[in-house]
Amino acid sequence: MRTEEAIRLVATARGAADLFGTDAPARRYRELVTALHPDRLGAVDPGVRAAASDALMTVTARWRGGRGTRLGDYTLRRIAYAGDLADLYDAGRDRLLKLPRDPADNDLMAREARALRRIADRGDPRHLPYVPRLIDHLPARDPATGAERLVNVVAAAPGLRSLDEVRRAYPDGVDPRDAAWMWRRLLVALGLAHRAGVVHGAVLPRHVLIEPDAHGVVLVDWCLSTEPGATIPALVPGHEEWYPAEVAARRPAGPGTDLAMAARCMTWLMADRAPRELRAFAAGCRRPGLAARPDDAWRLLRELDEVLDGLYGPRTFRPFTLNP
């Protein structure tokens, strides 16, 4: 079934019977979800994508017989974000419910829950806003297939934008003075996690979210996290070149793995605007061997501050604009 056909069917259906039929309703439900899912749409008109998202929520709501999709105590209103392996639904009350698309990824959802709990238990409370707050971790059974998925519920924060969005807004590169506060706060997030015994394992632009006005940073998607000395379970498809060599080779990872990826994010963000001193600093974070790289985010933050002070003098607040 094509996306446009599915959208028309949802728009004209007067109820669940019109939508799913009576001969094979579960099969029709799966066909509609496949046709409307954001990951299946590719490059389409934004209006079509929005209509498909609304239609998908109507399909799931009618399939479960309510005004919204129910999972335990949560009502899912719409897909807020489409992640690497899961969709994040608006669950109301400033909460997002993360539902994996494939039950085979349940182990990765468990990794994320374990990492966020460990950081919350062991981390400095002053820095906990730099990572998502885990509210719940629960199983959910798909009524169409019977498959059980593990879902994570996290607190939502308004106004966050990914570094991917930032770079699209600044195609020639972000001013290094603006990139500086993003880099500093990203190192705080990593320092928090590493002191708690967690390696993120996927520090990519899509996973680094900023709050432009308040200069906040939140590092999200901890599904590929691990302990220092263990291997990263997988690479995010399409981003293989972003990873240090130890990840693809299935060798032990450590804090230096995250710090190398963070440096790659920031030099990519600044593009040709990065001064020589910051390029050299990033190169030191990205040495080929893990043992040759920095492995302490807090010490690295102090070193970055020395570089920035030499370049720009004492820190001052610079308003940062990112258009909607």
Side-chain angles (χ1 to χ4, degrees), residues 104-122:
D105 291 327
N106 283 345
D107 63 321
L108 302 183
M109 301 299 292
R111 277 180 181 264
E112 178 172 69
R114 185 164 57 247
L116 293 179
R117 284 177 179 144
R118 176 175 287 192
I119 294 171
D121 290 343
R122 302 182 182 181

Side-chain angles (χ1 to χ4, degrees), residues 20-27:
F20 306 118
T22 57
D23 292 335
R27 184 176 64 188

Side-chain angles (χ1 to χ4, degrees), residues 232-264:
I232 304 299
L235 286 73
V236 175
H239 291 75
E240 291 82 1
E241 76 282 0
W242 285 78
Y243 287 84
E246 66 269 14
V247 181
R250 303 289 294 169
R251 296 197 299 265
T257 305
D258 286 343
L259 297 176
M261 297 188 76
R264 170 72 188 276

Side-chain angles (χ1 to χ4, degrees), residues 186-243:
L186 179 54
L187 290 177
V188 171
L190 292 173
L192 169 73
H194 296 163
R195 289 283 172 88
V198 177
V199 174
H200 183 276
V203 184
L204 299 167
R206 63 172 58 190
H207 298 154
V208 181
L209 309 184
I210 70 162
E211 200 292 304
D213 293 338
H215 286 194
V217 165
V218 182
L219 181 58
V220 302
D221 203 336
W222 294 78
C223 290
L224 300 178
S225 60
T226 191
E227 297 180 359
T231 58
I232 304 299
L235 286 73
V236 175
H239 291 75
E240 291 82 1
E241 76 282 0
W242 285 78
Y243 287 84

Side-chain angles (χ1 to χ4, degrees), residues 7 20 29 59 121-122 132 134 166 180-181 197 202 204 212 281 299:
I7 292 172
F20 306 118
Y29 166 73
V59 168
D121 290 343
R122 302 182 182 181
L134 183 70
V166 175
W181 63 259
L204 299 167
F281 181 84
R299 184 184 305 132

Side-chain angles (χ1 to χ4, degrees), residues 162-185:
S162 73
L163 292 190
D164 275 338
E165 295 176 88
V166 175
R167 179 59 193 274
R168 285 196 293 270
Y170 292 86
D172 295 328
V174 170
D175 189 306
R177 292 169 294 177
D178 296 317
W181 63 259
M182 303 178 201
W183 201 343
R184 295 188 73 261
R185 283 157 177 75

